Amino acid sequence: IVPEGGDYQYEFPSGNGLDNQAPPYAAGSPHWCTNEMLATGHWDGACPYIFEGPDAGKYRHPHIALSALEAYLANQAMPEKCATTWLENN
């Protein structure tokens, strides 16, 4: 615990921007935009999810894998009610 508070590391601590990743942390979008991009007022959904490390600049969409697994398991349990692909189940 630090005296100034804000020592909690959020899952998406992008609230202070890419250039300020020190405590106190601030919650933010899961998208990491440069300060120049944020200054344009453009929607931050165009920025990548990962900003450092070997996957920098890439996107992650674990919800797509989860929906595929969900459709597969539903089809295995109830093939007469649930199709093999997500779009067929709408």
Side-chain angles (χ1 to χ4, degrees):
I1 298 176
V2 295
E4 65 273 10
D7 57 332
Y8 177 78
Q9 179 72 49
Y10 294 94
E11 180 181 4
F12 303 115
S14 62
N16 293 330
L18 284 177
D19 299 329
N20 184 5
Q21 289 299 300
Y25 299 109
S29 165
H31 299 275
W32 294 88
C33 300
T34 62
N35 289 335
E36 293 80 13
M37 173 64 175
L38 292 173
T40 67
H42 193 283
W43 175 59
D44 70 356
C47 299
Y49 285 107
I50 303 168
F51 79 96
E52 61 183 8
D55 294 326
K58 296 182 179 176
Y59 294 85
R60 61 182 180 98
H61 296 285
H63 58 282
I64 294 173
L66 178 59
S67 68
L69 176 62
E70 196 173 52
Y72 171 78
L73 293 174
N75 176 261
Q76 294 298 302
M78 300 179 291
E80 67 287 345
K81 291 184 176 181
C82 303
T84 56
T85 67
W86 182 79
L87 288 175
E88 292 174 317
N89 286 313
N90 280 340

